[in-house]
Amino acid sequence: IKNDFGVTKDGDVLLLSDDGVIALQNGKPPELLDATNTMPSSLAVDAQGNLLTIADGYLGMVTSSGEIIHSIPLPYDTVTLAPSSIPGAVYMFGGQGKGYRLYRILDDGTLQILFESSDPIISVADSQGEVYVPRPACYSGCARILPKSSSRHQMTTGGQSRPLLPPGTGLSS
């Protein structure tokens, strides 16, 4: 079992394993879902119950027949998806070298850059008002992206704040 998992609207749990996606449904034995064409490297379930994937260098989704549809080519292979508590949003993060980014993808197709770092981003979690990004050495604190209450986002680490993104930085597809 890998780190990626998702929970559907029906309460089914989807786990990513070396063999594929495993579905855990209440009262049924675990089921290995057939991905007809490729193996995802990351997955997340969005608020509408869609299974989003990273596979073969693309952001995509799994159809009801189990086929992975490639939608958006990604600039690097080390990308991970994470669910959001905000309806209509999912997170994507990754990078290489000294350039790592956290994106929020909205169900209207908007892609927002929320955080940039020279250190790898290892995870993300959110609430209705805040987004949290653990730093690799989280003993010194976690990065916290404050809600967009003004014309720019801010990041706080260890009690200090600094502007993170200039106004209008979000990308739209």
Side-chain angles (χ1 to χ4, degrees):
I1 302 293
K2 298 184 178 186
N3 290 337
D4 290 34
F5 70 94
V7 180
T8 68
K9 292 186 291 187
D10 299 329
D12 300 339
V13 177
L14 302 174
L15 306 169
L16 185 60
S17 76
D18 290 332
D19 297 322
V21 178
I22 299 170
L24 303 176
Q25 300 170 327
N26 193 16
K28 296 182 181 179
E31 176 186 359
L32 184 63
L33 302 179
D34 291 327
T36 58
N37 56 336
T38 191
M39 173 69 97
S41 60
S42 183
L43 66 83
V45 177
D46 70 9
Q48 290 76 28
N50 298 308
L51 179 55
L52 305 176
T53 63
I54 301 293
D56 304 323
Y58 285 84
L59 170 65
M61 65 182 291
V62 177
T63 67
S64 59
S65 64
E67 182 181 4
I68 293 178
I69 303 294
H70 295 143
S71 297
I72 301 171
L74 301 172
Y76 32 77
D77 294 331
T78 55
V79 178
T80 302
L81 290 171
S84 172
S85 65
I86 300 167
V90 68
Y91 296 101
M92 181 174 70
F93 57 91
Q96 59 190 14
K98 292 287 184 184
Y100 297 88
R101 285 185 175 173
L102 167 65
Y103 302 90
R104 180 171 36 215
I105 304 167
L106 303 177
D107 59 3
D108 67 359
T110 301
L111 178 68
Q112 301 169 321
I113 301 171
L114 296 184
F115 184 70
E116 293 183 280
S117 172
S118 59
D119 294 321
I121 298 168
I122 57 173
S123 184
V124 61
D126 71 3
S127 66
Q128 287 297 318
E130 297 178 325
V131 177
Y132 297 90
V133 180
R135 294 178 14 201
C138 210
Y139 300 110
S140 61
C142 295
R144 186 180 84 184
I145 302 168
L146 299 176
K148 190 173 184 178
S149 57
S150 66
S151 62
R152 54 185 162 176
H153 293 278
Q154 292 183 338
M155 178 189 75
T156 61
T157 54
Q160 299 175 349
S161 296
R162 68 174 177 80
L164 178 63
L165 300 173
T169 302
L171 303 175
S172 183
S173 63

